[in-house]
Amino acid sequence: MVDLSVTVGGVSMKNPIMPASGSIAEGMADIVDLGRLGAIVLKTITPDIRQGVKPPRVVEYTDATLFSIGIPSKGPDYLLNHTVPFFEKFGPPVIASISADTAEDFGKLAGYITDPRIAAIEANISCPNLRAHGRAFGMDPVAAAEVIAEMKANTKLPVWAKLTPNVGDIAEVARAVEGAGADAVITANAILGMAINAETMTPRLGNVVGGLTGPAVKPVILRMVNQCAEAVKIPVIGCGGIATGEDVVEYMLAGASAVQVGTTNFVHTAAMEQSIDWVTDYCTRKGIARVSDLTGALMLPGDQPSEQRGAVAL
Amino acid sequence: MTLSATAEVEAPTGRFPRAENRCRVVSNDPVNAEYRLLVVDAPETGLTAYAGQFFHLLCPTTGSEQPFLRRPMSIYRIDRENGQLGFLYKVTGKGTRALMTLAPGDELNAMGPLGIGFDLPQGTQHVAMVARGVGLATLAPLAKLATSQGAKVTAILSARAPDLLMSRDELEAAGAEVIEVNDLDGNSKPEDVTDRLRAIHAETPIDFMATCGSNRLLGLTRDLCTEWDITGQVAVEAFMGCGLGMCYACVVPIRDADGNEEMKRVCYDGPVFNVNEVTTW
């Protein structure tokens, strides 16, 4: 019997697999057994009501998508009165995700939605900071830390920082948010990209630029998870192109304590449940008693024991 | 900071069974120069579909085509007696090029049924449908639904040329009266279609209209619905990400009675909307 449970950033989960913010909605409940998930991460909300950016909002590649949605949001009261009650009944801890235009507003919003039905709050710091000419909070270690500090000052709930991969040194940002009190980091949000239609000579996205997600980004984010895990003591949650149980294991070996599945949910609704099954089988096959033993168990060349390789005692 | 809320309630879930239906391809043949008809044996959940809903199809990966996202496809035929679903599609891009390669016996993963379809009031006497292009496919199940509820159905089918017209047999089999118009014969202009509808209305009053596939047909449907004070509904098409309301890629501006616009999801809040709510189909 494999112990799949993990405790990540103050949240106990029965397994390490959860959806990435924005990749589940009420409609998913008709198809997926949400009760099986490690946690339910909600779509990002903002303090105000937003409609999102002008369509078209998605471009498709062979194994990736470029999305620019613009965080459409119905605001915090809708979250507390409709979204949380809907998802709370499935059982797994509910994680809210928030964004705002200033660090102060992140703090106020975190305080406003602090509620016993919410297990943790994710800070989506990949959005533009209006006080810094639209530069994303997560691109600046100081601004990222300010957001987390404001949130920690306004809520007793664990705060998870969702980092942006659009930086030179992601480990530096991870250390900055850890220093500000973050309980976990999520590595990472989408990679900034752009798509152009040669025939019409126009951008393919209404917002011109968007975020690249999907299996194609896995090697890039896997490397960043590894860098973050080496840089901080708080748990790292891997998020980037996960489509299968094997991807989950790879992320955990790289240093992740848990993972988020995003874009794959749009295509294969069974992916999270299948991943839970695959990881269980993997651990059984490898003689691994606790899934948490996989975290950081990557064997670098030279580290590998000559006997019983991978069998026990990771 | 403003902390505000909206009062409106999202469409409830759990109203319909939904699944990734593993369907078996029965046939996949051209019906004319542009369109093909894909018929599949569908499991029970798939057969609960009703007029105006859609399926999100996982397109096969072929040597040259690797569509990553699913493709939304309106339902052309719901044949519960034979346990089959039919999709009428035009080959326009890599998704439909990949669908074209499906052969009898192949599996098709069809997620659905999805979305909110046509809401035909009980007691409707006379449904007028006007459609063009792919819209001809989308409205076919509505004819069956309407006649089964005892309504008369008049369908005006429009196309560029007579040989591109489809659905006559399907609609006549459903008990609809079919009128075909096309650009080559010069009888498909909105004013001509409007005149025809007025004449039909004068004979047997129309109390419900449905349209799909053309902004000009949407415009004339909206005008006539306002004039006659009847309900008109339109099936909207959009490029989609997830099909389940998660990703918000397929949004269109939806106008309320006061003229306020809100971006709504075609996949989850639609794809069928009131003709007064949308600006394009």
Side-chain angles (χ1 to χ4, degrees):
Chain A
M1 191 66 188
V2 181
D3 180 5
L4 287 181
S5 68
V6 292
T7 299
V8 177
V11 180
S12 295
M13 298 187 260
K14 63 184 162 211
N15 67 64
I17 296 167
M18 61 189 126
S21 177
S23 74
I24 63 162
E26 283 86 337
M28 195 78 161
D30 294 344
I31 295 190
V32 174
D33 181 359
L34 297 179
R36 287 196 69 195
L37 305 179
I40 295 175
V41 184
L42 306 180
K43 188 171 173 61
T44 301
I45 62 146
T46 54
D48 48 344
I49 290 170
R50 295 186 185 182
Q51 297 280 347
V53 301
K54 203 173 138 231
R57 292 179 166 187
V58 59
V59 180
E60 175 193 52
Y61 298 91
T62 304
D63 56 359
T65 46
L66 190 69
F67 272 100
S68 185
I69 304 294
I71 315 184
S73 165
K74 290 182 174 172
D77 289 330
Y78 190 89
L79 176 94
L80 293 172
N81 298 331
H82 296 270
T83 317
V84 170
F86 180 86
F87 285 106
E88 167 199 41
K89 61 179 185 264
F90 296 102
V94 172
I95 316 295
S97 172
I98 65 167
S99 185
D101 292 338
T102 65
E104 293 76 20
D105 282 354
F106 265 99
K108 284 182 198 164
L109 184 53
Y112 191 87
I113 65 163
T114 296
D115 183 293
R117 299 168 299 171
I118 295 175
I121 306 176
E122 175 179 300
N124 180 353
I125 52 173
S126 301
C127 52
N129 177 356
L130 291 194
R131 300 254 169 86
H133 307 288
R135 191 170 180 227
F137 291 96
M139 290 181 184
D140 174 2
V142 175
E146 275 171 17
V147 166
I148 301 305
E150 285 286 346
M151 287 174 65
K152 290 298 286 185
N154 284 278
T155 183
K156 287 189 172 65
L157 292 174
V159 172
W160 297 356
K162 186 165 183 178
L163 307 182
T164 169
N166 304 302
V167 292
D169 182 4
I170 196 161
E172 186 191 0
V173 187
R175 277 190 294 266
V177 296
E178 180 183 43
D183 297 277
V185 294
I186 298 152
T187 307
N189 212 312
I191 300 171
L192 276 177
M194 183 173 177
I196 292 171
N197 182 332
E199 289 306 317
T200 61
M201 300 181 172
T202 55
R204 287 189 186 271
L205 288 175
N207 190 46
V208 185
V209 296
L212 192 73
T213 60
V217 309
K218 194 181 84 175
V220 177
I221 308 300
L222 196 59
R223 179 263 298 173
M224 290 185 166
V225 163
N226 193 234
Q227 289 176 315
C228 289
E230 285 176 4
V232 297
K233 290 192 177 61
I234 54 174
V236 177
I237 298 164
C239 176
I242 295 172
T244 65
E246 194 168 5
D247 295 334
V248 174
V249 170
E250 290 175 32
Y251 267 98
M252 294 190 75
L253 292 173
S257 298
V259 297
Q260 296 186 343
V261 179
T263 307
T264 294
N265 287 328
F266 299 158
V267 186
H268 302 286
T269 51
M272 290 186 293
E273 291 176 273
Q274 286 169 353
S275 295
I276 296 167
D277 296 338
W278 197 94
V279 172
T280 309
D281 290 348
Y282 172 88
C283 290
T284 306
R285 177 158 59 84
K286 293 279 187 184
I288 295 160
R290 288 178 305 272
V291 76
S292 56
D293 290 341
L294 287 173
T295 299
L298 178 70
M299 293 188 286
L300 296 170
D303 289 352
Q304 298 175 6
S306 55
E307 291 169 44
Q308 292 186 321
R309 183 178 153 202
V312 284
L314 284 162
Chain B
M1 181 173 63
T2 337
L3 293 163
S4 38
T6 50
E8 112 253 27
V9 177
E10 260 185 50
T13 60
R15 295 161 304 170
F16 319 110
R18 291 171 172 156
E20 286 192 18
N21 299 274
R22 308 185 84 147
C23 303
R24 191 62 56 189
V25 175
V26 175
S27 61
N28 185 15
D29 301 315
V31 294
N32 63 29
E34 291 186 345
Y35 282 84
R36 299 174 73 92
L37 175 61
L38 173 62
V39 177
V40 298
D41 281 328
E44 213 172 309
T45 305
L47 296 169
T48 62
Y50 70 95
Q53 288 190 298
F54 70 98
F55 282 85
H56 215 22
L57 308 183
L58 192 63
C59 302
T61 296
T62 68
S64 51
E65 313 289 354
Q66 293 172 282
F68 178 66
L69 296 169
R70 289 170 180 263
R71 293 295 189 274
M73 191 69 69
S74 65
I75 309 159
Y76 175 58
R77 182 184 295 164
I78 306 160
D79 181 356
R80 295 195 185 94
E81 264 169 44
N82 295 302
Q84 293 182 339
L85 292 170
F87 302 99
L88 194 61
Y89 65 100
K90 186 178 178 176
V91 178
T92 54
K94 64 179 169 183
T96 42
R97 277 199 302 273
L99 282 181
M100 199 172 76
T101 67
L102 286 171
D106 286 352
E107 185 180 292
L108 173 70
N109 178 319
M111 185 169 73
L114 300 174
I116 297 169
F118 290 100
D119 182 14
L120 188 67
Q122 286 292 336
T124 300
Q125 296 291 312
H126 187 191
V127 174
M129 310 187 334
V130 287
R132 188 173 165 100
V134 72
L136 303 169
T138 309
L139 295 188
L142 178 63
K144 204 170 162 183
L145 175 73
T147 53
S148 75
Q149 287 187 18
K152 176 183 162 66
V153 176
T154 305
I156 299 188
L157 309 181
S158 171
R160 290 199 312 280
D163 57 341
L164 293 176
L165 282 158
M166 304 170 295
S167 307
R168 172 183 272 275
D169 297 347
E170 194 83 8
L171 289 162
E172 283 182 343
E177 202 160 298
V178 178
I179 299 163
E180 295 182 335
V181 298
N182 69 81
D183 302 356
L184 286 184
D185 293 346
N187 55 4
S188 61
K189 291 191 287 291
E191 50 274 29
D192 294 342
V193 174
T194 301
D195 287 347
R196 282 217 186 199
L197 283 164
R198 281 190 209 287
I200 293 161
H201 182 67
E203 219 164 87
T204 315
I206 295 162
D207 53 2
F208 184 90
M209 284 189 76
T211 185
C212 183
S214 154
N215 286 332
R216 297 202 302 176
L217 293 181
L218 169 62
L220 74 86
T221 301
R222 190 188 295 122
D223 291 346
L224 288 175
C225 286
T226 304
E227 186 181 319
W228 299 336
D229 193 23
I230 61 169
T231 301
Q233 294 181 347
V234 54
V236 174
E237 243 199 12
F239 192 84
M240 289 180 188
C242 69
L244 277 171
M246 302 181 274
C247 77
Y248 285 78
C250 64
V251 295
V252 291
I254 296 296
R255 221 171 19 207
D256 67 16
D258 303 324
N260 302 314
E261 279 192 355
E262 186 184 349
M263 299 301 268
K264 289 200 173 183
R265 297 161 290 186
V266 172
C267 74
Y268 196 74
D269 303 308
V272 173
F273 294 97
N274 190 289
V275 288
N276 295 315
E277 292 181 304
V278 298
T279 43
T280 58
W281 73 280

